[in-house]
Amino acid sequence: MATRRINCRWCGMPSLVQLEAQTLRCPACNRVTKFQSNVYVRPQQPVNVGRVYPGQLQVRAPPTQLRVPPAHGRKRAVLCGITYKGHKQSLDGSINDVLFMKKLLVERFGFPNSSILVLTEEEDFSRIPTKKNIRAALQWLVRGCQAGDSLVFHYSGHGSQVVDRDGDELDGYDECLLPVDYETEGRILDDELNATIVRPLPTGATLHSVIDTCFSGTFLDLPNVCRMNREGYYKWEDHRVPHAAAYKGTSGGIAIGISACDDHQNSGDTTAFTGVPTGALTYSFVKTLEQEPRLTYGRLLIFLHNRINAARDQVGLSRDAPHLSQEPQLSSSHKFEIHSKPFTL
């Protein structure tokens, strides 16, 4: 679906809207009118297990090298949003997600603009989210990282599953992200994500990932997954596979994953919040942290559940249908008390 970028006349916040749209309510300042339509769009994953649709999207990596930020501060982030323009299952909200996340990091958590690396199809060729560029960006994120560093990886795009070939998955499937050129260059598996940005984390460094895609519950292959019911009671599940060869932890640091849904679930793009297409997880995450300055991880997870379920109820999606459910997930390299540990980036 064709889109265009417009700026809010009040706060200047850019957003992507459909070409036929006439008005916009700004997700940042809430100052203008909504679109007439209010539709929750459930994007179908563009691959089934281990299979792609040939001939739909042929994007080849540009010859230029990834242009990384000159600064490499104590707080830095990689924000990756992919719409898959030209694909029959393109996404409308991914670039908006990146814009919202960048605003949150800069204004709420003090991340320098110069230490945030953005990969979208709207960037110049050196920052298009190809497989090569995503790999280089993730390597940049952890390069030289030390105690006291706060790192963020945000991904909004398509996810898929493939058969696990090295025996380190309890359910028998690897989760993976789909770069814009995945049909020619391939996917990036959770095994590689873990090896690149989780395992190198030294003592005192912290990584947060916010993964807004389908099948994302264990997207970084972290060994502990938090299961919480609607009343807030929780337990940590051990996702290590006995006798698996690969180590999935850190080098002393802490890695925490916040995912849109469980490994068997789909996530959704929606206009239900503001009329602007966004990922349900990203918008809920950003707005919760903007409006609730002091949160524990447990309270954050509860807010995410409530916001997403409210949006689904608004458009008539049953939260009790297993094949339609979307439950945000928390995973970690280390177990902790989620109702007492304050959330910060």
Side-chain angles (χ1 to χ4, degrees):
M1 186 175 295
T3 59
R4 60 192 174 110
R5 178 182 288 199
I6 61 172
N7 293 332
C8 171
R9 60 173 296 191
W10 302 100
C11 70
M13 178 71 180
S15 298
L16 285 184
V17 299
Q18 298 173 8
L19 280 179
E20 62 270 21
Q22 299 297 313
T23 55
L24 158 73
R25 170 174 287 179
C26 176
C29 69
N30 208 33
R31 292 294 293 272
V32 291
T33 57
K34 290 183 179 181
F35 294 121
Q36 294 180 351
S37 61
N38 193 23
V39 181
Y40 187 103
V41 181
R42 176 170 301 277
Q44 299 297 317
Q45 62 273 19
V47 300
N48 289 327
V49 174
R51 183 165 61 89
V52 302
Y53 297 105
Q56 290 180 340
L57 184 64
Q58 299 294 327
V59 178
R60 298 192 180 276
T64 52
Q65 296 295 317
L66 176 68
R67 181 170 53 85
V68 299
H72 204 258
R74 307 306 298 274
K75 289 189 173 188
R76 52 192 181 271
V78 170
L79 312 180
C80 180
I82 311 178
T83 65
Y84 310 91
K85 292 180 181 179
H87 199 290
K88 74 175 185 179
Q89 292 170 326
S90 61
L91 300 175
D92 291 331
S94 298
I95 294 178
N96 285 334
D97 288 346
V98 166
L99 296 173
F100 299 154
M101 184 64 70
K102 183 176 182 180
K103 183 175 183 291
L104 175 76
L105 294 180
V106 172
E107 297 183 2
R108 170 73 171 80
F109 292 102
F111 278 64
N113 272 297
S114 57
S115 292
I116 299 176
L117 178 52
V118 173
L119 302 179
T120 73
E121 293 116 309
E122 292 202 343
E123 306 299 312
D124 61 46
F125 272 153
S126 70
R127 291 188 177 179
I128 289 177
T130 62
K131 183 176 183 179
K132 179 180 178 181
N133 281 349
I134 294 173
R135 281 176 161 172
L138 295 177
Q139 292 165 7
W140 168 85
L141 181 65
V142 298
R143 187 178 303 136
C145 120
Q146 56 188 297
D149 286 358
S150 175
L151 314 178
V152 172
F153 172 49
H154 170 239
Y155 173 73
S156 177
H158 277 310
S160 70
Q161 292 181 309
V162 296
V163 174
D164 172 37
R165 300 189 181 280
D166 53 10
D168 64 351
E169 296 282 354
L170 288 177
D171 62 359
Y173 295 100
D174 281 315
E175 288 67 49
C176 47
L177 68 78
L178 273 62
V180 70
D181 57 350
Y182 76 91
E183 289 192 322
T184 58
E185 303 302 317
R187 316 169 189 119
I188 299 178
L189 300 187
D190 53 5
D191 295 339
E192 180 177 344
L193 294 173
N194 181 280
T196 303
I197 61 176
V198 173
R199 242 172 286 174
L201 283 176
T203 301
T206 303
L207 167 74
H208 285 87
S209 67
V210 181
I211 307 298
D212 202 345
T213 188
C214 302
F215 317 118
S216 54
T218 61
F219 214 71
L220 292 190
D221 260 1
L222 298 176
N224 304 293
V225 176
C226 181
R227 302 297 189 189
M228 187 176 70
N229 64 17
R230 293 177 183 176
E231 288 72 43
Y233 295 100
Y234 75 96
K235 65 178 181 178
W236 287 100
E237 288 182 355
D238 188 343
H239 272 240
R240 293 173 297 180
V241 176
H243 312 300
Y247 172 67
K248 297 295 185 177
T250 68
S251 296
I254 297 175
I256 296 174
I258 298 171
S259 304
C261 59
D262 209 345
D263 282 346
H264 64 281
Q265 295 175 338
N266 289 318
S267 63
D269 265 7
T270 181
T271 60
F273 294 111
T274 66
V276 176
T278 61
L281 173 73
T282 299
Y283 185 86
S284 299
F285 178 81
V286 169
K287 285 303 171 184
T288 296
L289 291 173
E290 286 179 346
Q291 297 169 3
E292 303 289 336
R294 293 181 179 85
L295 281 175
T296 63
Y297 284 86
R299 289 289 291 167
L300 173 61
L301 197 56
I302 289 170
F303 273 111
L304 294 180
H305 277 261
N306 291 343
R307 283 181 179 271
I308 291 174
N309 283 332
R312 294 166 58 81
D313 291 344
Q314 182 178 337
V315 295
L317 289 176
S318 171
R319 68 182 68 180
D320 297 318
H323 65 291
L324 294 178
S325 59
Q326 179 183 347
E327 298 293 333
Q329 302 293 312
L330 175 69
S331 58
S332 178
S333 58
H334 299 76
K335 297 177 183 178
F336 59 89
E337 168 50 59
I338 68 170
H339 291 304
S340 62
K341 184 179 177 66
F343 178 88
T344 189
L345 293 176

